[in-house]
């Protein structure tokens, strides 16, 4: 039997995502009520600009006093889509203290203070759900912490930022340079006026921290994630990748060490073979590849951003939290029992593609090969092209640690026959 008294929901933020959440709550009200077992009522909306007309939202629900809204005491769920660290953090903890569970899309806050927020939710017996914080509409967090809870996850690797994937896809498919592709992304609304958070990997790093924490039952904070942006990727890098049968993606990679004793989390551009499922992810789409002991290889794919896709994830969490509320229960909280150490980037082992500008004369290749050997880095293939006294030398290594590769490159720079290191890129997915 359906309960007639509605569950009250407050919305913090009414921008692109928040307005879509409000719209879906209104237009799908009957379906949501049937799925939950009780109607849901939008009880208040906190905004910065109250004078703006918000279609479908009664003006009397709008307030600029978010603190007073979450302190009301009669709310069942608070949906936080304002982003940033403060005031979001204080508003969320205040909501817990005054009886409300929270649904959030705030990746930056969860990556920085997820443990404290989970602790606050547990202290007050409330839910904290955040499917929308990673990969937009793609169901990913709930499968990792519920569907795969009985499995051992070894690796999570994916494209978790649509802006960067759009840019790199354009560079790959059209031969455009980075700036040209960025300008197109900005013109189409895929990139913000200030794209730094996306193109420098900050957005993806926050998502990697969240994914690693859930996958490995270990607290991983944003500061634990190695981050490298994609602004230095060039058309020449794509040409080299194509010669290897690869393309280039900005990847978030979370791995369990082979001995199971530690984990790593990193974000950086990488070459991946065209045969890998992630290589075919085009435009602004996201995809995450999960490898586990029992389930094997799984891939989650879909739109990773945008108002409606992100709102879909928010509403999925809202339904789950409301069901828990009716049943007098809470869903899964933080699972950090493994408490594995997070290894530094220097310990990460992968393949490398190194492009060198060298003098075009006898003995150069032997000198370069000797430096690699002295640092314990095994060479897989070498390609050399020369003209008019200058040459390019492309070296692809076997798997080596980041620390050993760094030492190798430093030594190469000291050779008088090496004019410069044109590019260094990791090779993943093999």
């Amino acid at each position: 039997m359906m309960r007639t008294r509605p569950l009250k929901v407050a919305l913090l933020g009414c921008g692109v995502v928040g307005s879509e959440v409000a719209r879906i709550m209104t237009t799908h009200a009957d379906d949501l009520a049937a799925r939950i077992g009780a109607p849901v009522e939008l009880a208040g909306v906190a905004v910065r600009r109250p004078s703006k007309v918000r279609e479908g939202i009664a003006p009397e629900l709008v307030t600029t006093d978010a603190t007073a809204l979450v302190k009301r005491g009669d709310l069942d769920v608070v949906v936080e889509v304002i982003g940033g660290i403060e005031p979001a953090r204080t508003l969320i903890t205040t909501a817990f203290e005054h009886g409300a569970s929270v649904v959030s899309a705030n990746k930056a806050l969860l990556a920085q203070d997820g443990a404290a927020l989970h602790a606050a939710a547990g202290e007050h017996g409330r839910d904290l759900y955040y499917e929308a914080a990673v990969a937009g509409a793609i169901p990913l967090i709930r499968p990792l912490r519920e569907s795969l809870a009985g499995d051992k996850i070894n690796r999570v690797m994916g494209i978790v930022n649509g802006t960067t994937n759009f840019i790199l896809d354009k560079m790959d498919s059209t031969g455009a340079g980075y700036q040209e592709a960025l300008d197109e992304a900005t013109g189409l609304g895929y990139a913000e006026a200030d794209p730094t958070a996306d193109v420098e990997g900050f957005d993806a790093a926050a998502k990697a921290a969240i994914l690693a924490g859930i996958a490995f039952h270990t607290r991983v904070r944003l500061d634990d994630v190695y981050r490298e942006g994609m602004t230095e990727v060039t058309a020449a890098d794509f040409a080299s990748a194509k010669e290897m049968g690869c393309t280039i993606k900005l990847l978030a990679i979370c791995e369990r060490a082979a001995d199971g004793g530690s984990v790593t989390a990193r974000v950086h551009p990488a070459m991946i073979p065209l045969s890998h499922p992630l290589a075919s992810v085009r435009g602004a789409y996201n995809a995450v590849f999960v490898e586990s002991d029992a389930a094997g290889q799984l891939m989650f794919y879909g739109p990773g951003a945008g108002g409606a896709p992100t709102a879909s994830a928010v509403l999925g969490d809202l339904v789950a939290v409301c069901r828990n509320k009716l049943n007098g229960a809470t869903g899964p909280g933080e699972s950090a029992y493994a408490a594995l150490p997070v290894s530094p980037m220097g310990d990460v082992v992968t393949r490398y593609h190194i492009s060198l500008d060298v003098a075009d004369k006898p003995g150069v290749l032997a000198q370069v090969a000797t430096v690699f050997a002295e640092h314990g880095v095994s060479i897989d293939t070498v390609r050399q092209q020369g003209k008019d006294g200058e040459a390019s030398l492309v070296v692809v290594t076997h798997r080596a640690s980041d620390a050993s590769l760094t030492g190798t490159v430093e030594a190469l720079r000291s050779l008088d026959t090496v004019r410069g290191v044109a590019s260094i890129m990791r090779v993943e997915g093999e």
Side-chain angles (χ1 to χ4, degrees):
M1 180 179 294
M2 183 179 295
R3 192 180 84 166
T4 57
R5 184 171 65 82
L7 294 164
K8 294 188 176 183
V9 179
L11 183 58
L12 305 182
C14 198
V16 173
V17 175
S19 60
E20 279 295 309
V21 171
R23 182 189 66 80
I24 295 171
M25 284 184 63
T26 301
T27 58
H28 295 181
D30 291 343
D31 286 338
L32 290 173
R35 294 165 190 170
I36 292 168
V40 289
E41 172 189 314
L42 187 59
V45 181
V47 300
R48 286 185 297 177
R49 296 186 296 274
S51 60
K52 181 180 177 181
V53 176
R54 293 171 172 85
E55 186 176 348
I57 299 176
E60 61 268 22
L61 295 180
V62 177
T63 179
T64 58
D65 194 343
T67 300
L69 179 60
V70 299
K71 284 184 174 181
R72 277 177 38 165
D74 64 340
L75 300 175
D76 295 291
V77 185
V78 169
V79 175
E80 182 272 310
V81 287
I82 57 177
I85 305 303
E86 288 292 356
R89 175 171 49 197
T90 299
L91 291 171
I92 289 173
T93 55
T94 302
F96 292 145
E97 293 166 2
H98 288 79
S101 291
V102 172
V103 172
S104 176
N106 196 330
K107 54 189 171 287
L109 178 58
L110 289 158
Q112 178 172 305
D113 289 322
L117 294 177
H118 274 294
E123 178 185 351
H124 296 284
R126 309 300 170 198
D127 273 326
L128 174 61
Y129 276 49
Y130 43 91
E131 184 68 64
V134 179
I138 304 172
L140 181 59
I141 289 176
R142 193 171 293 120
L144 287 178
R145 72 176 187 176
E146 296 181 31
S147 304
L148 296 174
D151 206 344
K152 179 184 177 184
I153 298 173
N154 297 310
R155 195 178 204 220
V156 179
M157 179 173 78
I159 299 162
V160 295
N161 183 278
T163 300
T164 55
N165 198 58
F166 178 88
I167 293 170
L168 292 173
D169 183 37
K170 280 295 175 182
M171 293 176 70
D172 184 28
S173 61
T174 69
Y178 166 75
Q179 189 61 51
E180 182 183 351
L182 173 59
D183 290 344
E184 182 174 352
T186 303
L188 292 172
Y190 291 123
E192 301 286 347
D194 180 1
T196 302
D198 294 324
V199 300
E200 293 295 353
F202 291 101
D203 176 84
K207 295 170 181 176
I210 294 169
L211 291 175
I214 295 170
F216 306 133
H217 304 279
T218 290
R219 287 178 179 169
V220 179
R221 300 180 75 252
L222 181 59
D223 291 345
D224 296 321
V225 181
Y226 171 83
R227 177 194 55 79
E228 184 181 317
M230 46 150 289
T231 57
E232 300 301 318
V233 177
T234 66
D237 292 326
F238 273 102
S240 294
K242 287 181 179 180
E243 291 179 357
M244 292 178 57
C246 292
T247 188
I248 299 172
K249 299 292 186 182
L250 183 75
L251 298 178
I253 304 172
C254 312
E255 291 179 305
R256 188 190 299 269
D259 63 4
S262 64
V263 299
T264 58
R266 50 196 166 102
V267 168
H268 54 72
M271 294 182 180
I272 56 172
L274 295 175
S275 58
H276 194 282
L278 291 176
S280 61
V281 179
R282 312 303 295 268
Y285 274 72
N286 283 192
V288 178
F289 203 70
V290 178
E291 300 176 32
S292 68
D293 276 0
Q297 297 179 332
L298 307 169
M299 192 168 90
F300 301 82
Y301 170 84
T310 306
S312 171
V314 170
L315 267 295
D317 279 350
L318 178 64
V319 169
V321 170
C322 286
R323 286 171 175 170
N324 292 343
K325 180 79 174 182
L326 290 180
N327 293 327
T330 55
E334 183 189 31
S335 176
Y337 72 90
L340 297 171
V342 182
S343 295
M345 187 62 185
D347 293 346
V348 171
V349 175
T350 188
R351 296 179 67 204
Y352 289 87
H353 176 283
I354 304 102
S355 179
L356 304 172
D357 295 326
V358 299
D360 186 15
K361 62 182 184 180
V364 173
L365 180 57
Q367 281 187 319
V368 169
T370 298
V371 170
F372 276 88
E374 289 174 347
H375 288 82
V377 179
S378 175
I379 294 176
D380 181 16
T381 61
V382 177
R383 185 175 71 255
Q384 185 173 9
Q385 295 177 323
K387 184 179 180 181
D388 299 329
E390 298 295 331
S392 63
L393 191 65
V394 175
V395 179
V396 179
T397 74
H398 288 290
R399 291 175 65 83
S401 72
D402 188 82
S404 62
L405 196 282
T406 298
T408 303
V409 172
E410 289 177 354
L412 288 171
R413 293 183 194 277
S414 68
L415 296 177
D416 57 8
T417 52
V418 174
R419 310 295 194 219
V421 179
S423 69
I424 303 170
M425 192 165 295
R426 296 168 184 86
V427 182
E428 300 284 349
E430 295 184 309

